[in-house]
Amino acid sequence: MSTFRSRCPHGFFCYFNVLKSIGGNCINFKGPCMHWLKRLRILVATTLLLPAGAGAIGSFNPSAAELSLLPPYCGPRAQRWGNDLDRPEVQRWRSVFGSDYFHMHHYCQGMLLLLRGDRQPLDSREATGEYEAALNNLEYMESRASSGFVLMPELYLKKGRVLLRLNRDHKALQAFRQAIELKRDYVPAYAALSDFYLDRGKPEPARKVLQQGLEIVPDAGILQRRLAEISRDQGNEATQAEEGTPAASEPAATEPPAAPDGNAAE
């Protein structure tokens, strides 16, 4: 209010007219007041058009049902006492995450908005708004977290999934690779990266990703199953060619046995 008055020489009268103009009873006037009127109109219009989740960085207020779908460390961050170091719940997660705990509501909010976006119609304005807000929160956590943040590979994985939903494939690919670079045995990132290629009709890059993951985690069932599915879909011929085994030949045609009366069998 003080900033507005300092730039509008008409003081309260100008402010009153701006409020009236927003309500639809615009009084024509010029000068600095018109400048502020235009800015306020844009601000109000933008606010009304944004979906509920958009831009809500840090406002972590899930329902009980939503909270049950999130990791347990999100629970204290949804409470007013979430920063109270005297609470056992806070002490527990503070000992796990260190100072990163105090930014965790952004990470939890990002996961929550991803869930909310998935409940919206595909490619709708509401879904896009939720995903954009989710990305904002995840990137905030990424920028504030310490270099040793234990959930950073998981954060990159979730960031990649959000970026896919926003049709930003190149950045999603980068996020999946960053997750693997940070944690070489992070099986979900290999699975997500292979799915990325498969969904775009590129089975060979997907196969290589799965093989790389299995070299590090040989007993990863999820990677084994995906690799088996690729081999099955490509058919026995591709599998045999990769293994260097010749394809089975068709049995040679044989003459039918002679009939007892010496004539050829029908």
Side-chain angles (χ1 to χ4, degrees):
M1 181 67 178
S2 60
T3 302
F4 180 86
R5 284 181 172 175
S6 66
R7 296 193 180 186
C8 183
H10 301 290
F12 181 78
F13 178 74
C14 178
Y15 183 70
F16 175 75
N17 281 329
V18 169
L19 292 180
K20 288 183 67 178
S21 68
I22 293 175
N25 300 317
C26 183
I27 299 175
N28 293 325
F29 51 85
K30 301 179 181 180
C33 294
M34 181 57 70
H35 168 74
W36 278 94
L37 170 61
K38 291 179 180 179
R39 293 185 65 179
L40 282 171
R41 278 179 170 172
I42 293 172
L43 176 62
V44 172
T46 304
T47 303
L48 292 176
L49 288 173
L50 284 174
I57 292 181
S59 57
F60 183 53
N61 188 27
S63 66
E66 289 174 329
L67 193 58
S68 68
L69 301 175
L70 297 174
Y73 51 76
C74 291
R77 302 306 291 160
Q79 309 299 328
R80 292 182 178 179
W81 45 260
N83 288 330
D84 185 354
L85 293 176
D86 292 330
R87 301 283 300 220
E89 303 95 323
V90 175
Q91 293 174 1
R92 174 191 176 190
W93 295 113
R94 176 75 166 78
S95 66
V96 174
F97 298 118
S99 60
D100 291 324
Y101 167 79
F102 296 106
H103 300 298
M104 289 297 291
H105 55 285
H106 291 279
Y107 185 44
C108 295
Q109 178 77 346
M111 291 187 284
L112 174 61
L113 293 171
L114 174 57
L115 291 172
R116 288 178 177 174
D118 287 345
R119 292 200 296 263
Q120 300 293 336
L122 185 65
D123 294 329
S124 67
R125 181 173 63 88
E126 292 77 12
T128 299
E130 300 288 6
Y131 295 143
E132 290 284 4
L135 183 61
N136 287 342
N137 278 274
L138 294 175
E139 289 184 336
Y140 180 94
M141 185 70 202
E142 178 186 355
S143 66
R144 297 299 193 279
S146 65
S147 58
F149 180 46
V150 295
L151 294 182
M152 190 61 81
E154 180 185 292
L155 186 150
Y156 279 127
L157 176 62
K158 288 181 168 56
K159 179 181 176 180
R161 288 173 175 166
V162 172
L163 288 165
L164 280 183
R165 288 160 172 79
L166 291 170
N167 298 313
R168 301 174 192 174
D169 290 3
H170 180 67
K171 290 186 176 181
L173 184 63
Q174 288 181 327
F176 293 145
R177 287 175 173 168
Q178 284 176 300
I180 293 174
E181 289 174 4
L182 284 178
K183 189 177 181 183
R184 292 292 180 181
D185 61 347
Y186 190 34
V187 171
Y190 287 102
L193 186 54
S194 68
D195 289 346
F196 175 91
Y197 287 120
L198 283 175
D199 291 342
R200 286 151 187 79
K202 299 179 179 180
E204 285 310 312
R207 179 193 295 276
K208 291 180 180 178
V209 168
L210 294 170
Q211 290 172 337
Q212 290 170 358
L214 287 169
E215 287 177 1
I216 298 173
V217 192
D219 59 347
I222 188 173
L223 303 185
Q224 293 172 346
R225 289 190 294 273
R226 277 170 166 74
L227 188 59
E229 289 171 2
I230 292 176
S231 298
R232 181 197 64 200
D233 293 342
Q234 288 184 320
N236 291 331
E237 183 177 349
T239 304
Q240 292 166 349
E242 181 182 349
E243 296 175 350
T245 56
S249 58
E250 293 291 332
T254 58
E255 292 291 332
D261 59 1
N263 296 324
E266 294 294 329

